[in-house]
Amino acid sequence: AIHVRRGDKLVEEARGDVILYWRSQGHTDYQNLPTDYVPFAHYLSKWDGPEKCVRDDAGELQIMEHNVYVATDDPVVVHEEIAALPNHINETTILWNDCHQLSFFFNPTDASAFHLNGDGEKGFSEGHQEEAESDSCFDRYHRNIASIADMMILSKARIFIGEFNSNWGRAIRTMRVRLNNADAPSELAESDGQVEDNEDTNISVDTRSMVQGSDRPTKTLDTRVAWGRTIPLPPGY
């Protein structure tokens, strides 16, 4: 699953990270960037690469099918970005990194109910008076239910690609923490706050979450940061 958070976060809090991203792509004119957000294709760059592809006895690549749920507050633009991706099999499915067949799914209410109220935490911003006047308790309830559905799917996905710039992303990461099986053998070496992959269990273990002196009491489901801060602070910070 992929979470693409844009909206009000790009105006101030995440603006510096967006500039850093485009600087890494060779753009130095911060007043004239290609977009004021990090492209969806960059999120997909965190997907498994060709090295994860499997070949059969004849040496042919085996296509691995993946259903990818996309939660976003910018569904119209993300749909356009997916349409512009290469190697389309059909309107919503692409072949990525040689063998990964990605089929994208969105919340069916995205056309009318984003997973945020108004333009952000403070409701509707200046210039959106018409939207504010047409908003209702029913519309907000509709969006909140859609938000809960998004959160449940993102928290249980086998792979999650997102960012920690928003409370939403940090909350999802928290919900992806699981108690470790105390009886399972520990095969991962301790590192300095890095996330390491256990190929046998397909679980990423965040060593920052370990309690000193314990045998890794928690583990985090495979969570990949697309851009911005990499330290998963608790929601609200």
Side-chain angles (χ1 to χ4, degrees):
I2 299 175
H3 176 235
V4 181
R5 175 72 166 92
R6 291 174 179 168
D8 61 305
K9 288 295 178 182
L10 300 178
V11 178
E12 295 181 6
E13 295 149 281
R15 177 62 179 171
D17 291 320
V18 173
I19 291 175
L20 287 175
Y21 166 77
W22 284 115
R23 181 193 297 173
S24 72
Q25 304 301 307
H27 297 273
T28 57
D29 183 358
Y30 306 145
Q31 302 302 318
N32 190 31
L33 298 175
T35 65
D36 62 356
Y37 53 82
V38 174
F40 183 73
H42 181 69
Y43 289 75
L44 289 183
S45 71
K46 302 302 178 181
W47 200 269
D48 293 338
E51 70 280 357
K52 295 287 188 178
C53 293
V54 177
R55 294 182 180 272
D56 60 20
D57 294 338
E60 296 293 329
L61 279 176
Q62 299 296 294
I63 301 301
M64 294 185 284
E65 298 181 359
H66 307 274
N67 293 328
V68 183
Y69 184 81
V70 182
T72 180
D73 57 351
D74 195 18
V76 174
V77 174
V78 173
H79 273 287
E80 294 172 351
E81 292 179 86
I82 290 176
L85 292 172
N87 304 321
H88 270 263
I89 296 174
N90 57 44
E91 185 177 351
T92 59
T93 303
I94 64 170
L95 187 64
W96 190 255
N97 288 338
D98 297 338
C99 67
H100 302 283
Q101 182 174 306
L102 310 182
S103 296
F104 298 103
F105 296 87
F106 287 75
N107 190 313
T109 67
D110 266 348
S112 59
F114 297 176
H115 70 206
L116 291 173
N117 282 330
D119 296 325
E121 296 174 356
K122 297 181 180 180
F124 290 92
S125 59
E126 185 177 356
H128 288 187
Q129 187 64 29
E130 183 178 345
E131 290 88 342
E133 291 177 353
S134 64
D135 198 33
S136 68
C137 291
F138 176 81
D139 291 334
R140 286 178 175 263
Y141 176 81
H142 191 192
R143 288 195 297 268
N144 287 339
I145 293 300
S147 300
I148 294 172
D150 281 350
M151 183 173 289
M152 292 178 65
I153 294 173
L154 296 176
S155 65
K156 296 181 179 181
R158 187 176 66 84
I159 297 172
F160 170 71
I161 300 173
E163 37 68 35
F164 297 148
N165 301 314
S166 66
N167 284 324
W168 190 274
R170 294 194 290 272
I172 294 300
R173 187 265 172 188
T174 299
M175 294 174 67
R176 292 177 64 79
V177 175
R178 303 288 188 270
L179 289 176
N180 212 347
N181 184 352
D183 297 328
S186 177
E187 300 177 359
L188 295 178
E190 196 169 323
S191 63
D192 296 329
Q194 301 298 314
V195 175
E196 301 176 1
D197 290 332
N198 183 334
E199 295 180 355
D200 294 331
T201 60
N202 198 31
I203 293 293
S204 290
V205 176
D206 187 344
T207 58
R208 284 182 295 262
S209 67
M210 295 193 309
V211 177
Q212 189 170 1
S214 68
D215 189 18
R216 296 172 176 80
T218 64
K219 59 190 176 186
T220 305
L221 301 181
D222 194 342
T223 299
R224 308 175 187 185
V225 179
W227 59 282
R229 67 177 69 181
T230 58
I231 300 176
L233 296 174
Y237 283 80

